[in-house]
């Protein structure tokens, strides 16, 4: 565990055990403000993989918050799936009480496997929770941010008008489906896929979009590939087979490793770092938590495109992969703040 913390520059990794609750809270940084990040409730093969996921995601949240200009640090939590039958309400109430023990150093929110209703239950035992029902699901705001990013990439970086562009979306979940709808509104040609056939059937029925087989979506010819399913999909083996000009989607940790970013850079495929382009949900949830006026939240959300432009221009200037440039920029913001 200490090795894991060192590797992810994670100063705090909390383990909580209370009745049926086994929970982990990873806090990566609190320099810019309290660590904000979702609570995952998905099955893991073991505790070490859950801790690794929390650590990696907490680090990503720090960079995301820094580049989005929101006054929060990075954190993430995981509730381990209890074996056998369990009382979901009791579990999330207990989780609220452990969040409370951290005295506001960590603010929790929705993530994979948790819902607005769970956040309302957590809220009974702590006030340190965003995305409860008065704030709502951040996904449509994440989708809007990704849409603004893709629009900017097409129009300003690739010189392709929206109505002449083709975007391929992998994963039609909460974010992917809303993103598809926004792009269709602007006459973008769509290619989609999802392992869940109910979602692709719905997309075909409602919008008549082209559905690609799951195994072929990533290599379909398109202008922008938008991974909106799981992380780690851009592997070094995949990069030479890609048929897109840019990659811009919502999934966290899209690049399997640094090599994937380097190969994309060498092939001149523009990569929008995930923690920049998918920050719309964080901007919305943190702004609502801090009770910012709606128009200010909206401005902050649209501004993520200027951060992207800056990342791309530094990447050209320094001849360095965009993901590495964005990490350096985020680290500088955090370091300069704590000086
Ligand atoms: P979701 O679970 O609602 O949707 C994911 C979709 O991807 C599902 O429909 C799933 O069936 C599909 N999928 C998974 N693997 C696939 C594959 N190999 N091929 C095709 N489809 C596949 O999740 P979501 O909330 O839409 O989030 C999508 C991604 O964006 C996740 O990686 C999430 O961590 C990230 N993200 C989400 C938010 C948010 O506000 N929801 C914010 C930031 C980042």
């Amino acid at each position: 565990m200490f090795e894991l913390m060192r590797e992810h520059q994670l100063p705090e990794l909390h383990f909580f055990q209370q009745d049926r609750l086994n929970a982990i809270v990873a806090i990566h940084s609190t320099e810019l403000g309290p660590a904000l990040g979702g609570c995952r409730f998905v099955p893991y093969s073991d505790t070490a993989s859950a801790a690794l996921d929390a650590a990696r995601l907490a680090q990503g949240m720090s960079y995301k918050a820094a580049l989005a200009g929101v006054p929060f640090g990075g954190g993430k939590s995981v509730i381990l799936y209890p074996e056998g039958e369990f009382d979901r309400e009791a579990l999330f109430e207990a989780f609220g009480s452990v969040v409370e023990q951290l005295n506001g150093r960590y603010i929790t929110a929705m993530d994979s496997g948790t819902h607005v209703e769970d956040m309302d239950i957590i809220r009974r035992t702590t006030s340190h929770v965003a995305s409860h029902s008065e704030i709502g699901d951040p996904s449509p705001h994440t989708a809007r941010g990704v849409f603004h990013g893709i629009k900017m990439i097409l129009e300003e970086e690739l010189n392709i008008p929206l109505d002449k562009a083709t975007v391929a979306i992998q994963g039609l979940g909460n974010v992917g489906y809303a993103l598809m709808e926004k792009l269709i509104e602007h006459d973008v040609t769509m290619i989609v896929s999802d392992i869940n056939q109910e979602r692709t059937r719905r997309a075909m029925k409602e919008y008549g979009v082209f559905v690609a087989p799951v195994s072929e979506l990533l290599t379909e010819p398109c202008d922008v590939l938008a991974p909106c399913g799981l992380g780690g999909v851009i592997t070094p083996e995949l990069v030479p087979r890609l048929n897109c000009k840019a990659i811009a989607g919502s999934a966290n940790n899209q690049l399997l490793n640094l090599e994937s970013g380097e190969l994309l850079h060498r092939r001149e495929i523009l990569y929008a770092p995930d923690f920049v382009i998918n920050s719309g949900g964080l901007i919305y949830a943190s702004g609502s938590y801090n009770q910012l006026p709606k128009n200010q939240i909206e401005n902050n959300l649209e501004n993520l495109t200027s951060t992207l432009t800056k990342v791309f221009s530094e990447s050209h200037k320094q001849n360095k992969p965009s993901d590495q440039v964005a990490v350096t920029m985020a680290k500088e913001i955090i370091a300069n703040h704590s000086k």
Side-chain angles (χ1 to χ4, degrees), residues 40 64 111-112 137-139 142 170-176 193-196 199 214 228-231 250-252 278 281:
R40 285 213 160 169
K64 194 185 294 198
D111 208 297
S112 302
D137 180 358
S139 309
T142 303
Q170 182 190 49
L172 294 178
N174 294 325
V175 178
S193 89
D194 198 298
I195 45 174
N196 180 336
R199 296 191 174 159
V214 168
C228 296
L230 298 179
S250 74
N252 283 315
N278 75 12

Side-chain angles (χ1 to χ4, degrees), residues 27 224 227 330:
I27 297 183
V224 178

